[in-house]
């Protein structure tokens, strides 16, 4: 039953779900081990905003740009929480490689 429902999700939507899961995990990790007031919280929202834009505006050019920026963001933040967002970046690359978006 669940497999059939997941089959209807677009790759961009799957990337958004993976990104939200990584966001929750990174917020949990950061609030557990670091000082909360000293962090740049808007930086953590970059992948979620880009993944949401790729779902909201189904243009291939936007998906390519969003995938590239999220991949760079993962590389730039690999020492902290970037590794958590690698599945999101990979799914966004798959979504950008597709010719059309199925909703």
């Amino acid at each position: 039953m669940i497999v059939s429902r997941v089959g209807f999700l677009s790759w961009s939507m799957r990337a958004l779900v993976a990104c939200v899961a990584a966001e929750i995990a990174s917020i949990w990790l950061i609030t557990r081990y670091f000082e909360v007031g000293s962090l740049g919280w808007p930086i953590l929202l970059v992948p979620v905003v880009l993944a949401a834009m790729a779902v909201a505006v189904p243009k291939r050019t936007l998906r390519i740009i969003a995938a590239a920026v999220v991949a760079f963001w993962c590389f730039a933040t690999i020492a902290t929480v970037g590794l958590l967002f690698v599945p999101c970046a990979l799914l966004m690359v798959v979504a950008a490689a597709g010719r059309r978006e199925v909703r």
Side-chain angles (χ1 to χ4, degrees):
M1 184 73 160
I2 292 175
V3 175
S4 65
R5 289 185 184 177
V6 171
F8 289 110
L9 293 178
S10 67
W11 287 106
S12 295
M13 185 61 83
R14 292 175 190 180
L16 179 61
V17 169
C19 196
V20 168
E23 185 75 25
I24 292 169
S26 66
I27 288 173
W28 177 81
L29 184 71
I30 287 173
T31 56
R32 184 173 170 112
Y33 295 109
F34 296 104
E35 224 177 278
V36 176
S38 65
L39 297 171
W41 290 102
I43 294 173
L44 282 177
L45 295 177
V46 169
V48 174
V49 169
L50 289 172
M53 281 182 11
V55 170
V57 183
K59 301 283 185 189
R60 186 164 189 247
T61 308
L62 181 66
R63 289 194 314 254
I64 292 170
I65 292 169
V69 172
V70 170
F72 176 75
W73 187 90
C74 287
F75 178 74
T77 61
I78 200 75
T80 56
V81 295
L83 193 59
L84 296 171
F85 289 90
V86 169
C88 174
L90 292 175
L91 287 169
M92 289 185 76
V93 167
V94 170
R99 291 275 179 221
R100 61 183 176 95
E101 190 72 15
V102 178
R103 289 192 158 216

